[in-house]
Amino acid sequence: LQTGDIDYCQTPSTLDLDYIAEDPTLDLIQMDGTRLNYLVLNVSKDPFKNELVRQAMNYAVNKDDVLSVAANGQGTVWTNFSTPISYGFSEAEGYSYNVEKAKELLAQAGFANGFEFSVLCHDSTARAIAPVLQAQFAAVGIKMNISEVETSLRNSMIKNNEHEACMAAHVVEVSADSNLRLLWYTDFGNNRMKYSNDKVDELLYKALFKQDETARLAMYKEIQETVVKDAACVPLYLET
């Protein structure tokens, strides 16, 4: 852009946005994004089978710091898996940063001394986020090892259920069914968490055919509240 070799760049790195904004020869156009970065926890494996552990990890994360360091503050911290653009969006209460609460839940789960796990990182965004999470988890006794892998290997490991955790991103969709089903329906789409909840599956199926809009919206609200409580991953921030 600055040399004039190209006239337009759709998604420059967030680390370059300040430089672009300060250059009088360039125009920076920004808008609210729908790409959600999050940490996947594989709930089919210990210790992530334990809901208390997963909730503790959510409490252990300071999302403001993650956003500031990994994305230069360019984005919006987020606690849900839908946004206001999505049909049926509900502001399900997520997890605030609370180190003491995280330690308390880990102790209740039988991990007062913490535990160790590995996270797969496959791109520059994942590699920027992971060290911040690593430091924050260390503060509650959890040792997170960072494993940098190629995207193809990461995808293969997820498909074969060989991962403990991984960094991921989800582009939030307008359709409530597409948005929630991709992430949370058993063995479906981008369900990298290996999450399975019969109630969520049933609600997704029923909502798809429910003609009464009030009842349908209530179903989508219940789904969002349930998956937030179940804490199968740690939502971090929406990119700008």
Side-chain angles (χ1 to χ4, degrees):
L1 285 169
Q2 290 178 316
T3 62
D5 291 338
I6 59 173
D7 298 314
Y8 167 78
C9 178
Q10 182 173 339
T11 54
S13 167
T14 53
L15 299 178
D16 292 331
L17 295 182
D18 285 345
Y19 298 111
I20 296 173
E22 293 169 359
D23 192 325
T25 68
L26 301 176
D27 290 323
L28 177 63
I29 302 172
Q30 292 180 282
M31 61 189 70
D32 292 336
T34 60
R35 179 182 168 91
L36 173 67
N37 288 293
Y38 63 103
L39 170 66
V40 169
L41 306 175
N42 186 342
V43 302
S44 73
K45 296 182 180 294
D46 290 321
F48 304 130
K49 289 180 180 179
N50 192 316
E51 181 180 290
L52 294 178
V53 168
R54 304 194 302 267
Q55 292 175 344
M57 294 182 71
N58 273 267
Y59 279 118
V61 172
N62 184 330
K63 299 179 185 184
D64 289 308
D65 282 357
V66 174
L67 177 64
S68 176
V69 175
N72 201 29
Q74 301 290 336
T76 306
V77 295
W78 210 248
T79 60
N80 201 345
F81 304 93
S82 296
T83 71
I85 73 161
S86 303
Y87 176 81
F89 170 69
S90 174
E91 294 187 15
E93 184 177 355
Y95 299 86
S96 57
Y97 178 51
N98 189 329
V99 170
E100 293 308 313
K101 182 67 173 178
K103 291 179 178 179
E104 177 186 328
L105 290 174
L106 285 173
Q108 289 180 27
F111 293 95
N113 296 320
F115 59 89
E116 184 174 346
F117 76 103
S118 295
V119 61
L120 303 179
C121 295
H122 66 295
D123 63 14
S124 59
T125 300
R127 295 184 185 104
I129 293 172
V132 188
L133 295 179
Q134 185 181 53
Q136 293 180 357
F137 288 141
V140 297
I142 298 172
K143 182 179 180 181
M144 186 182 91
N145 300 311
I146 299 172
S147 178
E148 297 188 9
V149 296
E150 295 295 328
T151 301
S152 58
L153 176 58
R154 166 190 176 268
N155 293 345
S156 175
M157 291 179 70
I158 292 171
K159 180 180 179 181
N160 295 323
N161 198 25
E162 297 171 345
H163 66 300
E164 292 180 289
C166 68
M167 298 307 309
H170 170 65
V171 177
V172 179
E173 300 191 19
V174 174
S175 164
D177 181 75
S178 296
N179 188 51
L180 296 170
R181 186 180 298 270
L182 275 172
L183 288 174
W184 304 111
Y185 197 82
T186 301
D187 296 329
F188 197 83
N190 293 328
N191 187 349
R192 304 178 180 97
M193 294 75 65
K194 308 302 177 182
Y195 175 83
S196 182
N197 183 316
D198 290 343
K199 182 63 174 179
V200 169
D201 289 352
E202 179 185 6
L203 286 169
L204 280 167
Y205 180 81
K206 288 183 175 179
L208 192 60
F209 298 100
K210 179 64 69 174
Q211 295 185 9
D212 184 311
E213 184 172 26
T214 300
R216 185 166 66 251
L217 289 172
M219 291 177 180
Y220 286 133
K221 182 176 187 293
E222 184 176 353
I223 291 168
Q224 290 170 77
E225 291 174 344
T226 300
V227 298
V228 167
K229 173 184 174 294
D230 288 348
C233 60
V234 183
L236 298 170
Y237 65 89
L238 291 167
E239 297 179 4
T240 297

